[in-house]
Amino acid sequence: MDDRAGPLDPGGHLAAAAGDCVHCGFCLPACPTYQLWGEEMDSPRGRIHLISQVLDGAPVSEKVTMHLDRCLGCMACVPACPSGVRYNELIEAARAWPEQAGSGAGPVQAGAPRSARDKALRAAIFATFPYPKRLRALSGPLRAAQRARLDRLAQRGPVARYAPEVAGSLRLAPPSPGRQGRLPARIPAKGERRAVVGMLTGCVQQVFFPRVNAATARVLAAEGCDVIVPPGQGCCGALSLHAGRPAEAARFAGRTIAEFERAGVDAIVVNSAGCGSAMKEYGAFFAHAADGGPGPLAGQAAAFSGRVRDFSEYLAELYRDHGGPRAVRHELKAITAYHDACHLAYAQGIRLQPRDLLRGIPGLDLTEVGGGGTCCGSAGIYNLVQPEAAAELGQRKAAAIRATGARLVVSANPGCSLQIAAEMAADGGEPVTVAHIAEVLDASFRGLPLSALGVTPGQ
């Protein structure tokens, strides 16, 4: 056991991770919240200082909770850190402390509990978003409010002032995707089979973007993959894991591992950056799940995580190992901006693969978005619980996209797509379509016009 281990950190791995920070400041320009406010405690090294204090026995005060909650969890600081600090492990563990401090449960020193309003909001989010049936039921009233133009009214006046979370929810809800049939349990490969892959359908992706899942399955099948969609799969636990709800995350993760192991697939392909990041973390998560030591699923989880691939990452590996692309690409002539989802670019280190896929489409003019890949403000549940900061980051992202002149914005994460679409619609500029990379490839494979992606003529 590490000499610095304490009741909050039985194995000592958190103290060891915090001890790796030399407070050099390389993380400061990479951190979106430090960019917003210039506040030391809203930088990674500042939060690590607060985390170290709590590990040493300090209470989780209102100030500590505020600065922990303000973190987007975007992980931009991780590749920027020359010391290799595992900030993701620190912030995910620390986010559980405010709940314990308020309840008196666990080894956390007593501290300021969350407000009743904050508790109610978080409870509502986690009672809804990880459950597709519940989320689908909620989306109906949200869209009805949009049709009544209540979303626009809510952006000003007393609702925006006293209930910004409600205003944010109304603003972010996407238009109805229309009727979408359930994906079959198996989609056969086109031509000779090159692989058998499982596909995560997700929660937000499944409800708000079912077309993305359908496009993902078609693209994989067109490239020679049998696609298995386990009907018993549910939430992967990403939202819970990244929001400091470890017990809940463990339940969702355990179920996900069991469902895909029964499917007997070569790889698990994920088209949501946040979900893919969490699923690749299962091994590390369960390694510290039981009093700082390995939980019963540790070995199984590590093996599972080793088979998880992002959609773009998997296609790049398939082409490398099995003779290159198979499907014919048809022209899609559009200036296209690619948005780096934080949990793809920073947490998973996947940057080149999606760009290479887009550059392989004839006529597509790929352009880069300014701002150095700064977070759009979505960040899991961040734009629901920190709506003002999220909106400011979203406005900056929208302005950077406008500067490219792009007609089409490509993302690899549903939360980013919701956030960017809402900000682009709110800024009064010309309409810009936001699509997933799988949808763009699918349109190219099938020879569909840009209008199939929602790009209007002359846009």
Side-chain angles (χ1 to χ4, degrees):
M1 180 180 290
D2 193 287
D3 291 341
R4 294 163 292 179
L8 271 179
D9 184 23
H13 74 283
L14 295 178
D20 288 337
C21 177
V22 297
H23 304 281
C24 64
F26 277 88
C27 60
L28 301 184
C31 177
T33 53
Y34 187 80
Q35 291 175 28
L36 285 181
W37 304 308
E39 165 62 49
E40 175 68 19
M41 292 302 112
D42 286 316
S43 73
R45 73 177 182 184
R47 293 186 179 105
I48 290 172
H49 175 70
L50 294 175
I51 288 168
S52 295
Q53 288 184 320
V54 174
L55 290 174
D56 288 338
V60 181
S61 64
E62 185 176 353
K63 179 181 177 181
V64 169
T65 297
M66 177 184 73
H67 292 302
L68 292 179
D69 285 349
R70 281 181 170 182
C71 177
L72 290 137
C74 69
M75 301 302 124
C77 57
V78 174
C81 177
S83 301
V85 175
R86 303 185 304 278
Y87 181 78
N88 58 311
E89 295 180 17
L90 290 167
I91 193 64
E92 286 166 9
R95 279 181 163 158
W97 297 345
E99 316 299 331
Q100 298 175 30
S103 67
V108 179
Q109 290 289 328
R114 293 190 185 278
S115 68
R117 173 178 170 175
D118 195 11
K119 287 181 180 178
L121 174 62
R122 290 170 184 271
I125 289 170
F126 286 99
T128 307
F129 277 75
Y131 304 95
K133 288 183 180 178
R134 300 177 193 177
L135 184 58
R136 195 172 287 112
L138 176 66
S139 65
L142 285 174
R143 286 169 180 141
Q146 287 178 329
R147 287 194 294 272
R149 306 179 78 82
L150 296 180
D151 57 329
R152 298 187 181 184
L153 292 174
Q155 305 311 311
R156 54 186 182 273
V159 175
R161 181 178 302 174
Y162 299 111
E165 302 88 353
V166 174
S169 298
L170 289 171
R171 182 177 61 87
L172 289 167
S176 172
R179 294 185 62 85
Q180 297 287 320
R182 187 183 182 93
L183 286 174
R186 188 182 191 97
I187 298 99
K190 302 291 185 183
E192 183 182 356
R193 185 176 69 193
R194 299 202 280 187
V196 179
V197 301
M199 191 183 94
L200 183 81
T201 52
C203 303
V204 173
Q205 195 83 287
Q206 180 184 152
V207 175
F208 290 150
F209 300 104
R211 292 190 182 93
V212 172
N213 282 339
T216 300
R218 283 194 295 266
V219 168
L220 290 169
E223 292 292 13
C225 300
D226 275 3
V227 182
I228 308 300
V229 185
Q233 65 176 296
C235 177
C236 70
L239 289 178
S240 303
L241 177 64
H242 296 149
R245 298 167 70 94
E248 187 175 78
R251 291 196 301 272
F252 287 135
R255 176 180 171 180
T256 301
I257 292 170
E259 285 295 325
F260 280 97
E261 284 199 340
R262 279 195 289 269
V265 296
D266 303 325
I268 300 95
V269 178
V270 186
N271 59 17
S272 166
C275 297
S277 171
M279 292 166 72
K280 288 180 177 180
E281 292 178 48
Y282 283 175
F285 172 66
F286 282 105
H288 303 296
D291 296 324
L297 282 178
Q300 193 177 359
F304 177 89
S305 291
R307 292 189 292 137
V308 174
R309 296 290 186 273
D310 173 72
F311 170 74
S312 296
E313 177 186 30
Y314 182 75
L315 285 179
E317 291 181 3
L318 183 74
Y319 298 161
R320 181 195 67 201
D321 299 337
H322 295 279
R326 176 182 292 177
V328 175
R329 273 76 167 157
H330 298 89
E331 184 178 77
L332 284 175
K333 198 166 185 177
I335 299 175
T336 302
Y338 175 72
H339 162 71
D340 276 305
C342 295
H343 274 91
L344 193 62
Y346 301 129
Q348 299 184 58
I350 296 172
R351 296 171 178 273
L352 295 178
Q353 298 93 321
R355 288 173 167 84
D356 288 344
L357 288 171
L358 291 170
R359 290 191 181 105
I361 297 174
L364 192 143
D365 182 4
L366 187 64
T367 184
E368 293 294 326
V369 179
T374 302
C375 182
C376 67
S378 171
I381 66 168
Y382 192 87
N383 53 5
L384 298 177
V385 297
Q386 301 282 337
E388 294 93 347
E392 187 169 351
L393 288 169
Q395 289 158 13
R396 293 184 180 192
K397 180 65 67 174
I401 291 171
R402 291 286 182 203
T404 67
R407 304 171 63 194
L408 178 64
V409 181
V410 178
S411 172
N413 191 63
C416 298
S417 295
L418 289 172
Q419 176 81 346
I420 292 170
E423 294 299 343
M424 300 299 286
D427 71 0
E430 292 295 318
V432 172
T433 296
V434 182
H436 191 280
I437 187 170
E439 294 179 287
V440 180
L441 283 172
D442 180 50
S444 175
F445 286 11
R446 296 199 286 161
L448 300 178
L450 282 169
S451 59
L453 295 171
V455 180
T456 57
Q459 183 176 320

